[in-house]
Amino acid sequence: AQRVTQPEKLLSVFKGAPVELKCNYSYSGSPELFWYVQYSRQRLQLLLRHISRESIKGFTADLNKGETSFHLKKPFAQEEDSAMYYCALSGSGNQFYFGTGTSLTVIP
Amino acid sequence: NAGVMQNPRHLVRRRGQEARLRCSPMKGHSHVYWYRQLPEEGLKFMVYLQKENIIDESGMPKERFSAEFPKEGPSILRIQQVVRGDSAAYFCASSPDPAGKSEQYFGPGTRLTVT
C-alpha cells in the first residue's frame, strides 16, 4: 500500500532559523514525490517536485530512497513561509497520495 | 485563464438529499481529479477522469457516490442520500497530463455540510 506520512501537524520556527518539514513514504516501486503548499486564503499549489531538482523560494527536498524520505528544507525561514505544506506521492497507477499536512508558523 | 473553478463554494444539505459539486478545469486540461478532505485529515484521492471516461475510481465509496466528466461542461461529483459523514471539503484538480507527469492545479474547494 502507498502511504505518505507527515509526522508533524504543527511546526513553529523563528524567522531566520532553519526549517525542515518531514515526509516519509512507503511505496513498492519508483515513486514521484511532490511538495504542495497552501498559503492563507489561497489554493493548494505545487511547490516543488523531486524529479526537477529545483530550489523554489529557497526550499529544497531530496529524495532519500534508503530512508524513504522526502524532507523539505530551507536554511533561513521567512515570515511569508507560514503556510500548510503537503507531501504527495504519485506511483505507477493514477492515484495521487497526500500526507495529512504540516502547518508551518514562522515567528517574527 | 481563470484557473480551476468549483461551485458552489459552500453547500448545505439535509440528510437524505443529493449533493452536486461542479468542477470546471483549466482551459486545455483534460484530466480531472477529485479529492476529499475530512476534518483533521489530509487530502484523499477519490476519482480520476478524462473527458467522458472514468480512469480510476478506486478511492470513491462504492455506494451513493458517482462522478462524470462529459464532453461538454464541467465535471460533476454527485453524492446521493447524503449522510453526516459526507461533510467535508471536496477539492478538484486538473492537469494537461496524467498525475505525476505534470502539475495538478487545484480549485478552491466546495465545503459540504450535511445537517
Side-chain angles (χ1 to χ4, degrees), chain B residues 44-70:
Chain B
K44 289 207 171 149
F45 167 83
M46 296 182 75
V47 61
Y48 161 45
L49 310 103
Q50 291 182 29
K51 280 284 186 182
E52 299 184 271
N53 289 305
I54 297 174
I55 307 302
D56 185 343
E57 57 181 349
S58 56
M60 202 148 68
K62 294 280 185 282
E63 296 176 356
R64 303 187 296 108
F65 284 73
S66 62
E68 62 178 18
F69 188 16

mmCIF file with all atom_site columns, all heavy atoms in Angstrom, chain B residues 44-70:
data_model
loop_
_atom_site.group_PDB
_atom_site.id
_atom_site.type_symbol
_atom_site.label_atom_id
_atom_site.label_alt_id
_atom_site.label_comp_id
_atom_site.label_asym_id
_atom_site.label_entity_id
_atom_site.label_seq_id
_atom_site.pdbx_PDB_ins_code
_atom_site.Cartn_x
_atom_site.Cartn_y
_atom_site.Cartn_z
_atom_site.occupancy
_atom_site.B_iso_or_equiv
_atom_site.pdbx_formal_charge
_atom_site.auth_seq_id
_atom_site.auth_comp_id
_atom_site.auth_asym_id
_atom_site.auth_atom_id
_atom_site.pdbx_PDB_model_num
ATOM 1   N N   . LYS B 1 44 ? -7.676  13.051 0.372   1.00 0.00 ? 44 LYS B N   1
ATOM 2   C CA  . LYS B 1 44 ? -7.769  11.657 -0.041  1.00 0.00 ? 44 LYS B CA  1
ATOM 3   C C   . LYS B 1 44 ? -8.299  11.576 -1.460  1.00 0.00 ? 44 LYS B C   1
ATOM 4   O O   . LYS B 1 44 ? -9.346  12.113 -1.774  1.00 0.00 ? 44 LYS B O   1
ATOM 5   C CB  . LYS B 1 44 ? -8.668  10.867 0.895   1.00 0.00 ? 44 LYS B CB  1
ATOM 6   C CG  . LYS B 1 44 ? -8.035  10.641 2.246   1.00 0.00 ? 44 LYS B CG  1
ATOM 7   C CD  . LYS B 1 44 ? -8.534  9.405  2.937   1.00 0.00 ? 44 LYS B CD  1
ATOM 8   C CE  . LYS B 1 44 ? -7.679  9.164  4.182   1.00 0.00 ? 44 LYS B CE  1
ATOM 9   N NZ  . LYS B 1 44 ? -8.398  8.543  5.249   1.00 0.00 ? 44 LYS B NZ  1
ATOM 10  N N   . PHE B 1 45 ? -7.557  10.879 -2.291  1.00 0.00 ? 45 PHE B N   1
ATOM 11  C CA  . PHE B 1 45 ? -7.933  10.699 -3.681  1.00 0.00 ? 45 PHE B CA  1
ATOM 12  C C   . PHE B 1 45 ? -9.274  9.979  -3.765  1.00 0.00 ? 45 PHE B C   1
ATOM 13  O O   . PHE B 1 45 ? -9.532  9.016  -3.047  1.00 0.00 ? 45 PHE B O   1
ATOM 14  C CB  . PHE B 1 45 ? -6.848  9.874  -4.386  1.00 0.00 ? 45 PHE B CB  1
ATOM 15  C CG  . PHE B 1 45 ? -7.243  9.358  -5.743  1.00 0.00 ? 45 PHE B CG  1
ATOM 16  C CD1 . PHE B 1 45 ? -7.123  10.166 -6.857  1.00 0.00 ? 45 PHE B CD1 1
ATOM 17  C CD2 . PHE B 1 45 ? -7.737  8.084  -5.890  1.00 0.00 ? 45 PHE B CD2 1
ATOM 18  C CE1 . PHE B 1 45 ? -7.480  9.696  -8.111  1.00 0.00 ? 45 PHE B CE1 1
ATOM 19  C CE2 . PHE B 1 45 ? -8.095  7.598  -7.135  1.00 0.00 ? 45 PHE B CE2 1
ATOM 20  C CZ  . PHE B 1 45 ? -7.969  8.401  -8.245  1.00 0.00 ? 45 PHE B CZ  1
ATOM 21  N N   . MET B 1 46 ? -10.118 10.465 -4.653  1.00 0.00 ? 46 MET B N   1
ATOM 22  C CA  . MET B 1 46 ? -11.397 9.789  -4.859  1.00 0.00 ? 46 MET B CA  1
ATOM 23  C C   . MET B 1 46 ? -11.469 9.182  -6.262  1.00 0.00 ? 46 MET B C   1
ATOM 24  O O   . MET B 1 46 ? -11.678 7.997  -6.430  1.00 0.00 ? 46 MET B O   1
ATOM 25  C CB  . MET B 1 46 ? -12.551 10.776 -4.686  1.00 0.00 ? 46 MET B CB  1
ATOM 26  C CG  . MET B 1 46 ? -12.658 11.349 -3.287  1.00 0.00 ? 46 MET B CG  1
ATOM 27  S SD  . MET B 1 46 ? -14.073 12.440 -3.146  1.00 0.00 ? 46 MET B SD  1
ATOM 28  C CE  . MET B 1 46 ? -15.411 11.262 -3.089  1.00 0.00 ? 46 MET B CE  1
ATOM 29  N N   . VAL B 1 47 ? -11.283 10.054 -7.271  1.00 0.00 ? 47 VAL B N   1
ATOM 30  C CA  . VAL B 1 47 ? -11.512 9.583  -8.642  1.00 0.00 ? 47 VAL B CA  1
ATOM 31  C C   . VAL B 1 47 ? -10.700 10.417 -9.607  1.00 0.00 ? 47 VAL B C   1
ATOM 32  O O   . VAL B 1 47 ? -10.430 11.599 -9.364  1.00 0.00 ? 47 VAL B O   1
ATOM 33  C CB  . VAL B 1 47 ? -13.020 9.643  -8.980  1.00 0.00 ? 47 VAL B CB  1
ATOM 34  C CG1 . VAL B 1 47 ? -13.554 11.065 -8.895  1.00 0.00 ? 47 VAL B CG1 1
ATOM 35  C CG2 . VAL B 1 47 ? -13.320 9.044  -10.345 1.00 0.00 ? 47 VAL B CG2 1
ATOM 36  N N   . TYR B 1 48 ? -10.312 9.743  -10.708 1.00 0.00 ? 48 TYR B N   1
ATOM 37  C CA  . TYR B 1 48 ? -9.555  10.414 -11.775 1.00 0.00 ? 48 TYR B CA  1
ATOM 38  C C   . TYR B 1 48 ? -10.317 10.200 -13.074 1.00 0.00 ? 48 TYR B C   1
ATOM 39  O O   . TYR B 1 48 ? -10.651 9.069  -13.420 1.00 0.00 ? 48 TYR B O   1
ATOM 40  C CB  . TYR B 1 48 ? -8.138  9.835  -11.816 1.00 0.00 ? 48 TYR B CB  1
ATOM 41  C CG  . TYR B 1 48 ? -7.367  10.059 -13.097 1.00 0.00 ? 48 TYR B CG  1
ATOM 42  C CD1 . TYR B 1 48 ? -7.353  11.302 -13.730 1.00 0.00 ? 48 TYR B CD1 1
ATOM 43  C CD2 . TYR B 1 48 ? -6.625  9.028  -13.659 1.00 0.00 ? 48 TYR B CD2 1
ATOM 44  C CE1 . TYR B 1 48 ? -6.632  11.490 -14.898 1.00 0.00 ? 48 TYR B CE1 1
ATOM 45  C CE2 . TYR B 1 48 ? -5.896  9.212  -14.820 1.00 0.00 ? 48 TYR B CE2 1
ATOM 46  C CZ  . TYR B 1 48 ? -5.901  10.446 -15.439 1.00 0.00 ? 48 TYR B CZ  1
ATOM 47  O OH  . TYR B 1 48 ? -5.178  10.636 -16.579 1.00 0.00 ? 48 TYR B OH  1
ATOM 48  N N   . LEU B 1 49 ? -10.592 11.304 -13.755 1.00 0.00 ? 49 LEU B N   1
ATOM 49  C CA  . LEU B 1 49 ? -11.359 11.222 -15.002 1.00 0.00 ? 49 LEU B CA  1
ATOM 50  C C   . LEU B 1 49 ? -10.639 11.941 -16.133 1.00 0.00 ? 49 LEU B C   1
ATOM 51  O O   . LEU B 1 49 ? -9.949  12.934 -15.907 1.00 0.00 ? 49 LEU B O   1
ATOM 52  C CB  . LEU B 1 49 ? -12.743 11.891 -14.829 1.00 0.00 ? 49 LEU B CB  1
ATOM 53  C CG  . LEU B 1 49 ? -13.585 11.504 -13.645 1.00 0.00 ? 49 LEU B CG  1
ATOM 54  C CD1 . LEU B 1 49 ? -13.541 12.580 -12.576 1.00 0.00 ? 49 LEU B CD1 1
ATOM 55  C CD2 . LEU B 1 49 ? -15.033 11.285 -14.059 1.00 0.00 ? 49 LEU B CD2 1
ATOM 56  N N   . GLN B 1 50 ? -10.832 11.412 -17.310 1.00 0.00 ? 50 GLN B N   1
ATOM 57  C CA  . GLN B 1 50 ? -10.525 12.150 -18.523 1.00 0.00 ? 50 GLN B CA  1
ATOM 58  C C   . GLN B 1 50 ? -11.852 12.423 -19.206 1.00 0.00 ? 50 GLN B C   1
ATOM 59  O O   . GLN B 1 50 ? -12.875 11.870 -18.823 1.00 0.00 ? 50 GLN B O   1
ATOM 60  C CB  . GLN B 1 50 ? -9.609  11.336 -19.434 1.00 0.00 ? 50 GLN B CB  1
ATOM 61  C CG  . GLN B 1 50 ? -8.209  11.163 -18.902 1.00 0.00 ? 50 GLN B CG  1
ATOM 62  C CD  . GLN B 1 50 ? -7.326  10.389 -19.843 1.00 0.00 ? 50 GLN B CD  1
ATOM 63  O OE1 . GLN B 1 50 ? -7.510  10.419 -21.059 1.00 0.00 ? 50 GLN B OE1 1
ATOM 64  N NE2 . GLN B 1 50 ? -6.359  9.671  -19.303 1.00 0.00 ? 50 GLN B NE2 1
ATOM 65  N N   . LYS B 1 51 ? -11.811 13.222 -20.217 1.00 0.00 ? 51 LYS B N   1
ATOM 66  C CA  . LYS B 1 51 ? -13.061 13.560 -20.904 1.00 0.00 ? 51 LYS B CA  1
ATOM 67  C C   . LYS B 1 51 ? -13.856 12.298 -21.249 1.00 0.00 ? 51 LYS B C   1
ATOM 68  O O   . LYS B 1 51 ? -13.366 11.414 -21.944 1.00 0.00 ? 51 LYS B O   1
ATOM 69  C CB  . LYS B 1 51 ? -12.763 14.316 -22.195 1.00 0.00 ? 51 LYS B CB  1
ATOM 70  C CG  . LYS B 1 51 ? -12.453 15.779 -21.999 1.00 0.00 ? 51 LYS B CG  1
ATOM 71  C CD  . LYS B 1 51 ? -13.703 16.586 -21.713 1.00 0.00 ? 51 LYS B CD  1
ATOM 72  C CE  . LYS B 1 51 ? -13.397 18.087 -21.672 1.00 0.00 ? 51 LYS B CE  1
ATOM 73  N NZ  . LYS B 1 51 ? -14.589 18.865 -21.346 1.00 0.00 ? 51 LYS B NZ  1
ATOM 74  N N   . GLU B 1 52 ? -15.070 12.233 -20.715 1.00 0.00 ? 52 GLU B N   1
ATOM 75  C CA  . GLU B 1 52 ? -16.033 11.159 -20.980 1.00 0.00 ? 52 GLU B CA  1
ATOM 76  C C   . GLU B 1 52 ? -15.613 9.794  -20.426 1.00 0.00 ? 52 GLU B C   1
ATOM 77  O O   . GLU B 1 52 ? -16.294 8.802  -20.675 1.00 0.00 ? 52 GLU B O   1
ATOM 78  C CB  . GLU B 1 52 ? -16.302 11.025 -22.491 1.00 0.00 ? 52 GLU B CB  1
ATOM 79  C CG  . GLU B 1 52 ? -16.900 12.279 -23.102 1.00 0.00 ? 52 GLU B CG  1
ATOM 80  C CD  . GLU B 1 52 ? -17.241 12.100 -24.563 1.00 0.00 ? 52 GLU B CD  1
ATOM 81  O OE1 . GLU B 1 52 ? -16.377 12.355 -25.426 1.00 0.00 ? 52 GLU B OE1 1
ATOM 82  O OE2 . GLU B 1 52 ? -18.386 11.690 -24.849 1.00 0.00 ? 52 GLU B OE2 1
ATOM 83  N N   . ASN B 1 53 ? -14.513 9.723  -19.701 1.00 0.00 ? 53 ASN B N   1
ATOM 84  C CA  . ASN B 1 53 ? -14.075 8.430  -19.171 1.00 0.00 ? 53 ASN B CA  1
ATOM 85  C C   . ASN B 1 53 ? -13.676 8.516  -17.704 1.00 0.00 ? 53 ASN B C   1
ATOM 86  O O   . ASN B 1 53 ? -13.025 9.463  -17.294 1.00 0.00 ? 53 ASN B O   1
ATOM 87  C CB  . ASN B 1 53 ? -12.854 7.920  -19.953 1.00 0.00 ? 53 ASN B CB  1
ATOM 88  C CG  . ASN B 1 53 ? -13.214 7.489  -21.353 1.00 0.00 ? 53 ASN B CG  1
ATOM 89  O OD1 . ASN B 1 53 ? -14.094 6.659  -21.548 1.00 0.00 ? 53 ASN B OD1 1
ATOM 90  N ND2 . ASN B 1 53 ? -12.548 8.077  -22.327 1.00 0.00 ? 53 ASN B ND2 1
ATOM 91  N N   . ILE B 1 54 ? -14.075 7.507  -16.953 1.00 0.00 ? 54 ILE B N   1
ATOM 92  C CA  . ILE B 1 54 ? -13.568 7.352  -15.596 1.00 0.00 ? 54 ILE B CA  1
ATOM 93  C C   . ILE B 1 54 ? -12.360 6.438  -15.687 1.00 0.00 ? 54 ILE B C   1
ATOM 94  O O   . ILE B 1 54 ? -12.469 5.287  -16.111 1.00 0.00 ? 54 ILE B O   1
ATOM 95  C CB  . ILE B 1 54 ? -14.631 6.736  -14.661 1.00 0.00 ? 54 ILE B CB  1
ATOM 96  C CG1 . ILE B 1 54 ? -15.827 7.674  -14.548 1.00 0.00 ? 54 ILE B CG1 1
ATOM 97  C CG2 . ILE B 1 54 ? -14.019 6.471  -13.290 1.00 0.00 ? 54 ILE B CG2 1
ATOM 98  C CD1 . ILE B 1 54 ? -16.992 7.079  -13.765 1.00 0.00 ? 54 ILE B CD1 1
ATOM 99  N N   . ILE B 1 55 ? -11.208 6.948  -15.297 1.00 0.00 ? 55 ILE B N   1
ATOM 100 C CA  . ILE B 1 55 ? -9.973  6.174  -15.423 1.00 0.00 ? 55 ILE B CA  1
ATOM 101 C C   . ILE B 1 55 ? -9.704  5.369  -14.152 1.00 0.00 ? 55 ILE B C   1
ATOM 102 O O   . ILE B 1 55 ? -9.318  4.203  -14.213 1.00 0.00 ? 55 ILE B O   1
ATOM 103 C CB  . ILE B 1 55 ? -8.773  7.086  -15.718 1.00 0.00 ? 55 ILE B CB  1
ATOM 104 C CG1 . ILE B 1 55 ? -9.038  7.980  -16.938 1.00 0.00 ? 55 ILE B CG1 1
ATOM 105 C CG2 . ILE B 1 55 ? -7.507  6.256  -15.898 1.00 0.00 ? 55 ILE B CG2 1
ATOM 106 C CD1 . ILE B 1 55 ? -9.351  7.207  -18.211 1.00 0.00 ? 55 ILE B CD1 1
ATOM 107 N N   . ASP B 1 56 ? -9.933  5.992  -13.019 1.00 0.00 ? 56 ASP B N   1
ATOM 108 C CA  . ASP B 1 56 ? -9.635  5.336  -11.747 1.00 0.00 ? 56 ASP B CA  1
ATOM 109 C C   . ASP B 1 56 ? -10.597 5.871  -10.700 1.00 0.00 ? 56 ASP B C   1
ATOM 110 O O   . ASP B 1 56 ? -10.534 7.051  -10.373 1.00 0.00 ? 56 ASP B O   1
ATOM 111 C CB  . ASP B 1 56 ? -8.177  5.604  -11.349 1.00 0.00 ? 56 ASP B CB  1
ATOM 112 C CG  . ASP B 1 56 ? -7.744  4.852  -10.097 1.00 0.00 ? 56 ASP B CG  1
ATOM 113 O OD1 . ASP B 1 56 ? -8.611  4.375  -9.333  1.00 0.00 ? 56 ASP B OD1 1
ATOM 114 O OD2 . ASP B 1 56 ? -6.526  4.749  -9.875  1.00 0.00 ? 56 ASP B OD2 1
ATOM 115 N N   . GLU B 1 57 ? -11.466 5.030  -10.198 1.00 0.00 ? 57 GLU B N   1
ATOM 116 C CA  . GLU B 1 57 ? -12.416 5.455  -9.151  1.00 0.00 ? 57 GLU B CA  1
ATOM 117 C C   . GLU B 1 57 ? -12.198 4.653  -7.884  1.00 0.00 ? 57 GLU B C   1
ATOM 118 O O   . GLU B 1 57 ? -13.103 4.494  -7.063  1.00 0.00 ? 57 GLU B O   1
ATOM 119 C CB  . GLU B 1 57 ? -13.855 5.346  -9.634  1.00 0.00 ? 57 GLU B CB  1
ATOM 120 C CG  . GLU B 1 57 ? -14.242 3.958  -10.106 1.00 0.00 ? 57 GLU B CG  1
ATOM 121 C CD  . GLU B 1 57 ? -15.682 3.901  -10.611 1.00 0.00 ? 57 GLU B CD  1
ATOM 122 O OE1 . GLU B 1 57 ? -16.437 4.868  -10.400 1.00 0.00 ? 57 GLU B OE1 1
ATOM 123 O OE2 . GLU B 1 57 ? -16.032 2.873  -11.208 1.00 0.00 ? 57 GLU B OE2 1
ATOM 124 N N   . SER B 1 58 ? -10.988 4.158  -7.716  1.00 0.00 ? 58 SER B N   1
ATOM 125 C CA  . SER B 1 58 ? -10.712 3.267  -6.594  1.00 0.00 ? 58 SER B CA  1
ATOM 126 C C   . SER B 1 58 ? -10.800 3.958  -5.235  1.00 0.00 ? 58 SER B C   1
ATOM 127 O O   . SER B 1 58 ? -10.939 3.301  -4.223  1.00 0.00 ? 58 SER B O   1
ATOM 128 C CB  . SER B 1 58 ? -9.326  2.624  -6.759  1.00 0.00 ? 58 SER B CB  1
ATOM 129 O OG  . SER B 1 58 ? -8.339  3.632  -6.884  1.00 0.00 ? 58 SER B OG  1
ATOM 130 N N   . GLY B 1 59 ? -10.736 5.276  -5.213  1.00 0.00 ? 59 GLY B N   1
ATOM 131 C CA  . GLY B 1 59 ? -10.813 5.987  -3.943  1.00 0.00 ? 59 GLY B CA  1
ATOM 132 C C   . GLY B 1 59 ? -12.224 6.442  -3.593  1.00 0.00 ? 59 GLY B C   1
ATOM 133 O O   . GLY B 1 59 ? -12.431 7.078  -2.560  1.00 0.00 ? 59 GLY B O   1
ATOM 134 N N   . MET B 1 60 ? -13.158 6.114  -4.422  1.00 0.00 ? 60 MET B N   1
ATOM 135 C CA  . MET B 1 60 ? -14.521 6.596  -4.218  1.00 0.00 ? 60 MET B CA  1
ATOM 136 C C   . MET B 1 60 ? -15.356 5.517  -3.547  1.00 0.00 ? 60 MET B C   1
ATOM 137 O O   . MET B 1 60 ? -15.276 4.351  -3.924  1.00 0.00 ? 60 MET B O   1
ATOM 138 C CB  . MET B 1 60 ? -15.140 6.964  -5.565  1.00 0.00 ? 60 MET B CB  1
ATOM 139 C CG  . MET B 1 60 ? -16.278 7.933  -5.458  1.00 0.00 ? 60 MET B CG  1
ATOM 140 S SD  . MET B 1 60 ? -16.399 9.014  -6.874  1.00 0.00 ? 60 MET B SD  1
ATOM 141 C CE  . MET B 1 60 ? -16.883 7.849  -8.107  1.00 0.00 ? 60 MET B CE  1
ATOM 142 N N   . PRO B 1 61 ? -16.178 5.880  -2.550  1.00 0.00 ? 61 PRO B N   1
ATOM 143 C CA  . PRO B 1 61 ? -17.074 4.890  -1.936  1.00 0.00 ? 61 PRO B CA  1
ATOM 144 C C   . PRO B 1 61 ? -17.941 4.229  -3.006  1.00 0.00 ? 61 PRO B C   1
ATOM 145 O O   . PRO B 1 61 ? -18.356 4.863  -3.980  1.00 0.00 ? 61 PRO B O   1
ATOM 146 C CB  . PRO B 1 61 ? -17.912 5.740  -0.974  1.00 0.00 ? 61 PRO B CB  1
ATOM 147 C CG  . PRO B 1 61 ? -17.068 6.926  -0.672  1.00 0.00 ? 61 PRO B CG  1
ATOM 148 C CD  . PRO B 1 61 ? -16.299 7.209  -1.916  1.00 0.00 ? 61 PRO B CD  1
ATOM 149 N N   . LYS B 1 62 ? -18.201 2.972  -2.801  1.00 0.00 ? 62 LYS B N   1
ATOM 150 C CA  . LYS B 1 62 ? -18.911 2.180  -3.830  1.00 0.00 ? 62 LYS B CA  1
ATOM 151 C C   . LYS B 1 62 ? -20.361 2.616  -3.974  1.00 0.00 ? 62 LYS B C   1
ATOM 152 O O   . LYS B 1 62 ? -20.951 2.525  -5.058  1.00 0.00 ? 62 LYS B O   1
ATOM 153 C CB  . LYS B 1 62 ? -18.867 0.697  -3.460  1.00 0.00 ? 62 LYS B CB  1
ATOM 154 C CG  . LYS B 1 62 ? -17.470 0.095  -3.493  1.00 0.00 ? 62 LYS B CG  1
ATOM 155 C CD  . LYS B 1 62 ? -17.040 -0.254 -4.902  1.00 0.00 ? 62 LYS B CD  1
ATOM 156 C CE  . LYS B 1 62 ? -15.700 -0.953 -4.934  1.00 0.00 ? 62 LYS B CE  1
ATOM 157 N NZ  . LYS B 1 62 ? -14.562 -0.079 -4.766  1.00 0.00 ? 62 LYS B NZ  1
ATOM 158 N N   . GLU B 1 63 ? -20.939 3.074  -2.898  1.00 0.00 ? 63 GLU B N   1
ATOM 159 C CA  . GLU B 1 63 ? -22.353 3.439  -2.949  1.00 0.00 ? 63 GLU B CA  1
ATOM 160 C C   . GLU B 1 63 ? -22.516 4.943  -2.797  1.00 0.00 ? 63 GLU B C   1
ATOM 161 O O   . GLU B 1 63 ? -21.736 5.606  -2.143  1.00 0.00 ? 63 GLU B O   1
ATOM 162 C CB  . GLU B 1 63 ? -23.116 2.722  -1.819  1.00 0.00 ? 63 GLU B CB  1
ATOM 163 C CG  . GLU B 1 63 ? -23.088 1.216  -1.980  1.00 0.00 ? 63 GLU B CG  1
ATOM 164 C CD  . GLU B 1 63 ? -23.761 0.496  -0.820  1.00 0.00 ? 63 GLU B CD  1
ATOM 165 O OE1 . GLU B 1 63 ? -24.186 1.162  0.143   1.00 0.00 ? 63 GLU B OE1 1
ATOM 166 O OE2 . GLU B 1 63 ? -23.852 -0.739 -0.895  1.00 0.00 ? 63 GLU B OE2 1
ATOM 167 N N   . ARG B 1 64 ? -23.523 5.437  -3.409  1.00 0.00 ? 64 ARG B N   1
ATOM 168 C CA  . ARG B 1 64 ? -24.019 6.826  -3.302  1.00 0.00 ? 64 ARG B CA  1
ATOM 169 C C   . ARG B 1 64 ? -23.154 7.854  -4.028  1.00 0.00 ? 64 ARG B C   1
ATOM 170 O O   . ARG B 1 64 ? -23.606 8.959  -4.273  1.00 0.00 ? 64 ARG B O   1
ATOM 171 C CB  . ARG B 1 64 ? -24.183 7.257  -1.831  1.00 0.00 ? 64 ARG B CB  1
ATOM 172 C CG  . ARG B 1 64 ? -25.102 6.386  -1.015  1.00 0.00 ? 64 ARG B CG  1
ATOM 173 C CD  . ARG B 1 64 ? -25.356 6.972  0.379   1.00 0.00 ? 64 ARG B CD  1
ATOM 174 N NE  . ARG B 1 64 ? -24.129 7.030  1.164   1.00 0.00 ? 64 ARG B NE  1
ATOM 175 C CZ  . ARG B 1 64 ? -23.488 8.161  1.455   1.00 0.00 ? 64 ARG B CZ  1
ATOM 176 N NH1 . ARG B 1 64 ? -23.956 9.332  1.040   1.00 0.00 ? 64 ARG B NH1 1
ATOM 177 N NH2 . ARG B 1 64 ? -22.388 8.139  2.187   1.00 0.00 ? 64 ARG B NH2 1
ATOM 178 N N   . PHE B 1 65 ? -21.910 7.524  -4.336  1.00 0.00 ? 65 PHE B N   1
ATOM 179 C CA  . PHE B 1 65 ? -21.002 8.489  -4.973  1.00 0.00 ? 65 PHE B CA  1
ATOM 180 C C   . PHE B 1 65 ? -20.841 8.142  -6.451  1.00 0.00 ? 65 PHE B C   1
ATOM 181 O O   . PHE B 1 65 ? -20.667 6.978  -6.814  1.00 0.00 ? 65 PHE B O   1
ATOM 182 C CB  . PHE B 1 65 ? -19.625 8.469  -4.301  1.00 0.00 ? 65 PHE B CB  1
ATOM 183 C CG  . PHE B 1 65 ? -19.568 9.156  -2.969  1.00 0.00 ? 65 PHE B CG  1
ATOM 184 C CD1 . PHE B 1 65 ? -20.143 8.578  -1.862  1.00 0.00 ? 65 PHE B CD1 1
ATOM 185 C CD2 . PHE B 1 65 ? -18.925 10.373 -2.836  1.00 0.00 ? 65 PHE B CD2 1
ATOM 186 C CE1 . PHE B 1 65 ? -20.094 9.205  -0.621  1.00 0.00 ? 65 PHE B CE1 1
ATOM 187 C CE2 . PHE B 1 65 ? -18.850 11.015 -1.601  1.00 0.00 ? 65 PHE B CE2 1
ATOM 188 C CZ  . PHE B 1 65 ? -19.438 10.424 -0.495  1.00 0.00 ? 65 PHE B CZ  1
ATOM 189 N N   . SER B 1 66 ? -20.855 9.170  -7.285  1.00 0.00 ? 66 SER B N   1
ATOM 190 C CA  . SER B 1 66 ? -20.566 8.971  -8.701  1.00 0.00 ? 66 SER B CA  1
ATOM 191 C C   . SER B 1 66 ? -19.926 10.237 -9.247  1.00 0.00 ? 66 SER B C   1
ATOM 192 O O   . SER B 1 66 ? -20.060 11.321 -8.674  1.00 0.00 ? 66 SER B O   1
ATOM 193 C CB  . SER B 1 66 ? -21.851 8.631  -9.482  1.00 0.00 ? 66 SER B CB  1
ATOM 194 O OG  . SER B 1 66 ? -22.773 9.697  -9.400  1.00 0.00 ? 66 SER B OG  1
ATOM 195 N N   . ALA B 1 67 ? -19.217 10.075 -10.348 1.00 0.00 ? 67 ALA B N   1
ATOM 196 C CA  . ALA B 1 67 ? -18.547 11.222 -10.962 1.00 0.00 ? 67 ALA B CA  1
ATOM 197 C C   . ALA B 1 67 ? -18.617 11.095 -12.470 1.00 0.00 ? 67 ALA B C   1
ATOM 198 O O   . ALA B 1 67 ? -18.679 9.976  -13.012 1.00 0.00 ? 67 ALA B O   1
ATOM 199 C CB  . ALA B 1 67 ? -17.089 11.310 -10.507 1.00 0.00 ? 67 ALA B CB  1
ATOM 200 N N   . GLU B 1 68 ? -18.625 12.229 -13.120 1.00 0.00 ? 68 GLU B N   1
ATOM 201 C CA  . GLU B 1 68 ? -18.615 12.238 -14.575 1.00 0.00 ? 68 GLU B CA  1
ATOM 202 C C   . GLU B 1 68 ? -17.858 13.455 -15.073 1.00 0.00 ? 68 GLU B C   1
ATOM 203 O O   . GLU B 1 68 ? -17.721 14.461 -14.368 1.00 0.00 ? 68 GLU B O   1
ATOM 204 C CB  . GLU B 1 68 ? -20.047 12.254 -15.126 1.00 0.00 ? 68 GLU B CB  1
ATOM 205 C CG  . GLU B 1 68 ? -20.852 13.471 -14.753 1.00 0.00 ? 68 GLU B CG  1
ATOM 206 C CD  . GLU B 1 68 ? -22.248 13.455 -15.366 1.00 0.00 ? 68 GLU B CD  1
ATOM 207 O OE1 . GLU B 1 68 ? -22.703 12.385 -15.787 1.00 0.00 ? 68 GLU B OE1 1
ATOM 208 O OE2 . GLU B 1 68 ? -22.868 14.522 -15.421 1.00 0.00 ? 68 GLU B OE2 1
ATOM 209 N N   . PHE B 1 69 ? -17.383 13.351 -16.293 1.00 0.00 ? 69 PHE B N   1
ATOM 210 C CA  . PHE B 1 69 ? -16.690 14.459 -16.933 1.00 0.00 ? 69 PHE B CA  1
ATOM 211 C C   . PHE B 1 69 ? -17.116 14.415 -18.399 1.00 0.00 ? 69 PHE B C   1
ATOM 212 O O   . PHE B 1 69 ? -16.463 13.807 -19.234 1.00 0.00 ? 69 PHE B O   1
ATOM 213 C CB  . PHE B 1 69 ? -15.176 14.283 -16.787 1.00 0.00 ? 69 PHE B CB  1
ATOM 214 C CG  . PHE B 1 69 ? -14.355 15.458 -17.255 1.00 0.00 ? 69 PHE B CG  1
ATOM 215 C CD1 . PHE B 1 69 ? -14.911 16.710 -17.467 1.00 0.00 ? 69 PHE B CD1 1
ATOM 216 C CD2 . PHE B 1 69 ? -12.994 15.305 -17.461 1.00 0.00 ? 69 PHE B CD2 1
ATOM 217 C CE1 . PHE B 1 69 ? -14.145 17.780 -17.890 1.00 0.00 ? 69 PHE B CE1 1
ATOM 218 C CE2 . PHE B 1 69 ? -12.204 16.369 -17.873 1.00 0.00 ? 69 PHE B CE2 1
ATOM 219 C CZ  . PHE B 1 69 ? -12.778 17.603 -18.086 1.00 0.00 ? 69 PHE B CZ  1
ATOM 220 N N   . PRO B 1 70 ? -18.245 15.055 -18.706 1.00 0.00 ? 70 PRO B N   1
ATOM 221 C CA  . PRO B 1 70 ? -18.793 14.955 -20.054 1.00 0.00 ? 70 PRO B CA  1
ATOM 222 C C   . PRO B 1 70 ? -17.950 15.695 -21.088 1.00 0.00 ? 70 PRO B C   1
ATOM 223 O O   . PRO B 1 70 ? -17.080 16.510 -20.743 1.00 0.00 ? 70 PRO B O   1
ATOM 224 C CB  . PRO B 1 70 ? -20.186 15.586 -19.908 1.00 0.00 ? 70 PRO B CB  1
ATOM 225 C CG  . PRO B 1 70 ? -20.076 16.491 -18.732 1.00 0.00 ? 70 PRO B CG  1
ATOM 226 C CD  . PRO B 1 70 ? -19.071 15.881 -17.808 1.00 0.00 ? 70 PRO B CD  1
#
